[in-house]
Amino acid sequence: MNTFFALLHYFLFAVLVQSASISSPTNLSLMFREAVEQTKMLVEKILKDLPTVHAAAVTIEGLTLNPPSQTINLEMMAMSLGIPAAPVIKPLSERFTLDICVSRMLAGTRLYQGLLGVLSDKVDGLDDLKVDLRDLLLRISKMKEAAQLEGGDSLDQNSRLDLASRLPGNYEVQVAVHLTVSQLRSFCHDLIRSLRTIATYRP
């Protein structure tokens, strides 16, 4: 009987030690840095692929990604098509916490995933980008879990419906793709800058 209790005690002690090791600040910090690095690598891939995606999906002369189009008022077009701007991502501070930052990363990624979901039904060449954004959501979510963050991501669920109802013809579709890819590129640049900064964060 004494042997049984001794083995039971040893087993419970080993489980407690393993659990403490997994949730220790050191391991959480390592998990977070790995999640940040994986996310950054995917964002860099998306940035690299965007010019190819744009060239395949946008054929109207004057709508160029490099250099950016100057022939039309893109802000006015975005407003008329109901394409919202991505959530602003700022440097970390007491007011702009890591929780807020990661929540806005998620919200922005969901925004462009939704817009591309509408546009991919009307033009070819966007499916691979949709897959990348789906994977990006998963990786940012892993960052959130590794840092043990609790904030949610806010997003206007009507953005998909608004865009779908404002695309009567091919011209509007082409402009919407151009605006979405252009804004997504800016959002990805913001993500890269922010990811480089928060890589040093210690949960």
Side-chain angles (χ1 to χ4, degrees):
M1 184 66 67
N2 290 336
T3 302
F4 171 76
F5 282 111
L7 289 173
L8 180 61
H9 176 78
Y10 176 80
F11 172 76
L12 292 175
F13 178 75
V15 170
L16 287 172
V17 170
Q18 183 180 21
S19 176
S21 175
I22 291 174
S23 60
S24 69
T26 300
N27 283 336
L28 283 175
S29 180
L30 178 60
M31 291 168 58
F32 180 73
R33 289 200 304 272
E34 289 177 348
V36 170
E37 183 59 28
Q38 291 176 359
T39 303
K40 185 164 73 71
M41 289 174 60
L42 180 54
V43 177
E44 288 171 344
K45 176 190 180 299
I46 292 172
L47 276 172
K48 181 180 177 181
D49 292 343
L50 283 180
T52 301
V53 172
H54 187 277
V58 180
T59 57
I60 292 180
E61 186 176 355
L63 297 179
T64 58
L65 198 61
N66 290 312
S69 299
Q70 300 292 336
T71 57
I72 60 175
N73 190 326
L74 297 182
E75 291 185 3
M76 291 296 295
M77 290 298 297
M79 291 177 60
S80 67
L81 291 172
I83 299 178
V88 177
I89 299 178
K90 304 176 182 179
L92 295 182
S93 66
E94 290 185 3
R95 293 187 176 182
F96 195 81
T97 63
L98 180 66
D99 200 341
I100 296 174
C101 182
V102 174
S103 294
R104 290 193 179 184
M105 288 181 178
L106 285 169
T109 305
R110 291 187 193 280
L111 168 65
Y112 290 112
Q113 187 182 45
L115 294 176
L116 287 171
V118 173
L119 295 170
S120 63
D121 291 336
K122 301 179 178 295
V123 65
D124 295 331
L126 301 176
D127 289 340
D128 289 344
L129 182 56
K130 282 173 55 183
V131 172
D132 284 340
L133 289 182
R134 180 201 64 193
D135 293 344
L136 182 58
L137 273 178
L138 293 175
R139 297 196 184 187
I140 297 174
S141 296
K142 288 183 178 179
M143 283 173 45
K144 183 176 179 179
E145 293 173 6
Q148 298 184 337
L149 303 175
E150 308 216 344
D153 54 294
S154 58
L155 175 63
D156 181 3
Q157 298 295 331
N158 293 323
S159 59
R160 286 173 57 100
L161 297 176
D162 289 345
L163 178 61
S165 66
R166 299 181 183 185
L167 300 174
N170 180 63
Y171 178 78
E172 289 80 7
V173 171
Q174 294 271 302
V175 171
V177 173
H178 171 72
L179 290 168
T180 299
V181 173
S182 298
Q183 291 184 6
L184 176 57
R185 183 171 66 168
S186 296
F187 178 67
C188 285
H189 282 303
D190 290 343
L191 285 180
I192 290 292
R193 282 190 292 268
S194 184
L195 289 167
R196 287 171 179 165
T197 300
I198 67 178
T200 58
Y201 174 79
R202 296 294 181 268

